[in-house]
mmCIF file with all atom_site columns, all heavy atoms in Angstrom:
data_model
loop_
_atom_site.group_PDB
_atom_site.id
_atom_site.type_symbol
_atom_site.label_atom_id
_atom_site.label_alt_id
_atom_site.label_comp_id
_atom_site.label_asym_id
_atom_site.label_entity_id
_atom_site.label_seq_id
_atom_site.pdbx_PDB_ins_code
_atom_site.Cartn_x
_atom_site.Cartn_y
_atom_site.Cartn_z
_atom_site.occupancy
_atom_site.B_iso_or_equiv
_atom_site.pdbx_formal_charge
_atom_site.auth_seq_id
_atom_site.auth_comp_id
_atom_site.auth_asym_id
_atom_site.auth_atom_id
_atom_site.pdbx_PDB_model_num
ATOM 1  N N   . GLU A 1 146 ? 83.224 142.279 59.815 1.00 89.00 ? 337 GLU A N   1
ATOM 2  C CA  . GLU A 1 146 ? 84.131 142.628 60.904 1.00 89.00 ? 337 GLU A CA  1
ATOM 3  C C   . GLU A 1 146 ? 85.124 141.490 61.167 1.00 89.00 ? 337 GLU A C   1
ATOM 4  O O   . GLU A 1 146 ? 84.780 140.326 61.066 1.00 89.00 ? 337 GLU A O   1
ATOM 5  C CB  . GLU A 1 146 ? 83.346 142.906 62.196 1.00 89.00 ? 337 GLU A CB  1
ATOM 6  C CG  . GLU A 1 146 ? 82.196 143.883 62.049 1.00 89.00 ? 337 GLU A CG  1
ATOM 7  C CD  . GLU A 1 146 ? 82.605 145.239 61.524 1.00 89.00 ? 337 GLU A CD  1
ATOM 8  O OE1 . GLU A 1 146 ? 83.737 145.689 61.814 1.00 89.00 ? 337 GLU A OE1 1
ATOM 9  O OE2 . GLU A 1 146 ? 81.805 145.845 60.801 1.00 89.00 ? 337 GLU A OE2 1
ATOM 10 N N   . PHE A 1 147 ? 86.328 141.864 61.523 1.00 91.00 ? 338 PHE A N   1
ATOM 11 C CA  . PHE A 1 147 ? 87.322 140.879 61.940 1.00 91.00 ? 338 PHE A CA  1
ATOM 12 C C   . PHE A 1 147 ? 86.869 140.247 63.260 1.00 91.00 ? 338 PHE A C   1
ATOM 13 O O   . PHE A 1 147 ? 86.277 140.926 64.094 1.00 91.00 ? 338 PHE A O   1
ATOM 14 C CB  . PHE A 1 147 ? 88.684 141.525 62.159 1.00 91.00 ? 338 PHE A CB  1
ATOM 15 C CG  . PHE A 1 147 ? 89.407 141.889 60.903 1.00 91.00 ? 338 PHE A CG  1
ATOM 16 C CD1 . PHE A 1 147 ? 89.588 143.224 60.561 1.00 91.00 ? 338 PHE A CD1 1
ATOM 17 C CD2 . PHE A 1 147 ? 89.903 140.916 60.052 1.00 91.00 ? 338 PHE A CD2 1
ATOM 18 C CE1 . PHE A 1 147 ? 90.257 143.574 59.397 1.00 91.00 ? 338 PHE A CE1 1
ATOM 19 C CE2 . PHE A 1 147 ? 90.575 141.259 58.889 1.00 91.00 ? 338 PHE A CE2 1
ATOM 20 C CZ  . PHE A 1 147 ? 90.741 142.595 58.559 1.00 91.00 ? 338 PHE A CZ  1
ATOM 21 N N   . PRO A 1 148 ? 87.159 138.971 63.480 1.00 93.00 ? 339 PRO A N   1
ATOM 22 C CA  . PRO A 1 148 ? 86.805 138.347 64.768 1.00 93.00 ? 339 PRO A CA  1
ATOM 23 C C   . PRO A 1 148 ? 87.360 139.118 65.963 1.00 93.00 ? 339 PRO A C   1
ATOM 24 O O   . PRO A 1 148 ? 86.696 139.243 66.976 1.00 93.00 ? 339 PRO A O   1
ATOM 25 C CB  . PRO A 1 148 ? 87.422 136.942 64.663 1.00 93.00 ? 339 PRO A CB  1
ATOM 26 C CG  . PRO A 1 148 ? 87.489 136.667 63.199 1.00 93.00 ? 339 PRO A CG  1
ATOM 27 C CD  . PRO A 1 148 ? 87.739 137.996 62.544 1.00 93.00 ? 339 PRO A CD  1
ATOM 28 N N   . LEU A 1 149 ? 88.571 139.681 65.824 1.00 93.00 ? 340 LEU A N   1
ATOM 29 C CA  . LEU A 1 149 ? 89.160 140.441 66.929 1.00 93.00 ? 340 LEU A CA  1
ATOM 30 C C   . LEU A 1 149 ? 88.354 141.714 67.222 1.00 93.00 ? 340 LEU A C   1
ATOM 31 O O   . LEU A 1 149 ? 88.274 142.145 68.371 1.00 93.00 ? 340 LEU A O   1
ATOM 32 C CB  . LEU A 1 149 ? 90.613 140.814 66.623 1.00 93.00 ? 340 LEU A CB  1
ATOM 33 C CG  . LEU A 1 149 ? 91.640 139.709 66.816 1.00 93.00 ? 340 LEU A CG  1
ATOM 34 C CD1 . LEU A 1 149 ? 93.015 140.149 66.327 1.00 93.00 ? 340 LEU A CD1 1
ATOM 35 C CD2 . LEU A 1 149 ? 91.731 139.282 68.280 1.00 93.00 ? 340 LEU A CD2 1
ATOM 36 N N   . THR A 1 150 ? 87.763 142.303 66.186 1.00 94.00 ? 341 THR A N   1
ATOM 37 C CA  . THR A 1 150 ? 86.922 143.498 66.391 1.00 94.00 ? 341 THR A CA  1
ATOM 38 C C   . THR A 1 150 ? 85.681 143.128 67.193 1.00 94.00 ? 341 THR A C   1
ATOM 39 O O   . THR A 1 150 ? 85.303 143.835 68.127 1.00 94.00 ? 341 THR A O   1
ATOM 40 C CB  . THR A 1 150 ? 86.515 144.120 65.043 1.00 94.00 ? 341 THR A CB  1
ATOM 41 O OG1 . THR A 1 150 ? 87.696 144.442 64.298 1.00 94.00 ? 341 THR A OG1 1
ATOM 42 C CG2 . THR A 1 150 ? 85.671 145.371 65.236 1.00 94.00 ? 341 THR A CG2 1
ATOM 43 N N   . MET A 1 151 ? 85.061 142.001 66.841 1.00 94.00 ? 342 MET A N   1
ATOM 44 C CA  . MET A 1 151 ? 83.865 141.546 67.568 1.00 94.00 ? 342 MET A CA  1
ATOM 45 C C   . MET A 1 151 ? 84.213 141.211 69.019 1.00 94.00 ? 342 MET A C   1
ATOM 46 O O   . MET A 1 151 ? 83.471 141.550 69.946 1.00 94.00 ? 342 MET A O   1
ATOM 47 C CB  . MET A 1 151 ? 83.251 140.331 66.873 1.00 94.00 ? 342 MET A CB  1
ATOM 48 C CG  . MET A 1 151 ? 82.821 140.579 65.438 1.00 94.00 ? 342 MET A CG  1
ATOM 49 S SD  . MET A 1 151 ? 81.631 141.936 65.269 1.00 94.00 ? 342 MET A SD  1
ATOM 50 C CE  . MET A 1 151 ? 80.147 141.154 65.877 1.00 94.00 ? 342 MET A CE  1
ATOM 51 N N   . GLU A 1 152 ? 85.361 140.583 69.190 1.00 95.00 ? 343 GLU A N   1
ATOM 52 C CA  . GLU A 1 152 ? 85.823 140.218 70.533 1.00 95.00 ? 343 GLU A CA  1
ATOM 53 C C   . GLU A 1 152 ? 86.071 141.482 71.364 1.00 95.00 ? 343 GLU A C   1
ATOM 54 O O   . GLU A 1 152 ? 85.697 141.565 72.529 1.00 95.00 ? 343 GLU A O   1
ATOM 55 C CB  . GLU A 1 152 ? 87.127 139.427 70.390 1.00 95.00 ? 343 GLU A CB  1
ATOM 56 C CG  . GLU A 1 152 ? 87.691 138.846 71.662 1.00 95.00 ? 343 GLU A CG  1
ATOM 57 C CD  . GLU A 1 152 ? 89.019 138.153 71.397 1.00 95.00 ? 343 GLU A CD  1
ATOM 58 O OE1 . GLU A 1 152 ? 89.062 137.248 70.552 1.00 95.00 ? 343 GLU A OE1 1
ATOM 59 O OE2 . GLU A 1 152 ? 90.015 138.555 72.029 1.00 95.00 ? 343 GLU A OE2 1
ATOM 60 N N   . TYR A 1 153 ? 86.689 142.509 70.730 1.00 96.00 ? 344 TYR A N   1
ATOM 61 C CA  . TYR A 1 153 ? 86.957 143.768 71.424 1.00 96.00 ? 344 TYR A CA  1
ATOM 62 C C   . TYR A 1 153 ? 85.654 144.486 71.785 1.00 96.00 ? 344 TYR A C   1
ATOM 63 O O   . TYR A 1 153 ? 85.529 145.038 72.887 1.00 96.00 ? 344 TYR A O   1
ATOM 64 C CB  . TYR A 1 153 ? 87.852 144.696 70.594 1.00 96.00 ? 344 TYR A CB  1
ATOM 65 C CG  . TYR A 1 153 ? 88.015 146.027 71.263 1.00 96.00 ? 344 TYR A CG  1
ATOM 66 C CD1 . TYR A 1 153 ? 88.783 146.149 72.433 1.00 96.00 ? 344 TYR A CD1 1
ATOM 67 C CD2 . TYR A 1 153 ? 87.379 147.166 70.786 1.00 96.00 ? 344 TYR A CD2 1
ATOM 68 C CE1 . TYR A 1 153 ? 88.906 147.357 73.080 1.00 96.00 ? 344 TYR A CE1 1
ATOM 69 C CE2 . TYR A 1 153 ? 87.495 148.369 71.433 1.00 96.00 ? 344 TYR A CE2 1
ATOM 70 C CZ  . TYR A 1 153 ? 88.261 148.466 72.583 1.00 96.00 ? 344 TYR A CZ  1
ATOM 71 O OH  . TYR A 1 153 ? 88.371 149.665 73.233 1.00 96.00 ? 344 TYR A OH  1
ATOM 72 N N   . ALA A 1 154 ? 84.672 144.491 70.874 1.00 95.00 ? 345 ALA A N   1
ATOM 73 C CA  . ALA A 1 154 ? 83.391 145.145 71.148 1.00 95.00 ? 345 ALA A CA  1
ATOM 74 C C   . ALA A 1 154 ? 82.723 144.514 72.368 1.00 95.00 ? 345 ALA A C   1
ATOM 75 O O   . ALA A 1 154 ? 82.175 145.221 73.230 1.00 95.00 ? 345 ALA A O   1
ATOM 76 C CB  . ALA A 1 154 ? 82.477 145.059 69.927 1.00 95.00 ? 345 ALA A CB  1
ATOM 77 N N   . LYS A 1 155 ? 82.807 143.197 72.472 1.00 95.00 ? 346 LYS A N   1
ATOM 78 C CA  . LYS A 1 155 ? 82.235 142.510 73.657 1.00 95.00 ? 346 LYS A CA  1
ATOM 79 C C   . LYS A 1 155 ? 82.991 142.905 74.932 1.00 95.00 ? 346 LYS A C   1
ATOM 80 O O   . LYS A 1 155 ? 82.387 143.129 75.971 1.00 95.00 ? 346 LYS A O   1
ATOM 81 C CB  . LYS A 1 155 ? 82.315 140.981 73.475 1.00 95.00 ? 346 LYS A CB  1
ATOM 82 C CG  . LYS A 1 155 ? 81.294 140.437 72.496 1.00 95.00 ? 346 LYS A CG  1
ATOM 83 C CD  . LYS A 1 155 ? 81.440 138.935 72.345 1.00 95.00 ? 346 LYS A CD  1
ATOM 84 C CE  . LYS A 1 155 ? 80.539 138.424 71.243 1.00 95.00 ? 346 LYS A CE  1
ATOM 85 N NZ  . LYS A 1 155 ? 80.805 137.028 70.915 1.00 95.00 ? 346 LYS A NZ  1
#
Side-chain angles (χ1 to χ4, degrees):
E337 309 302 327
F338 285 111
L340 281 173
T341 302
M342 300 303 285
E343 186 183 304
Y344 175 71
K346 286 179 187 171

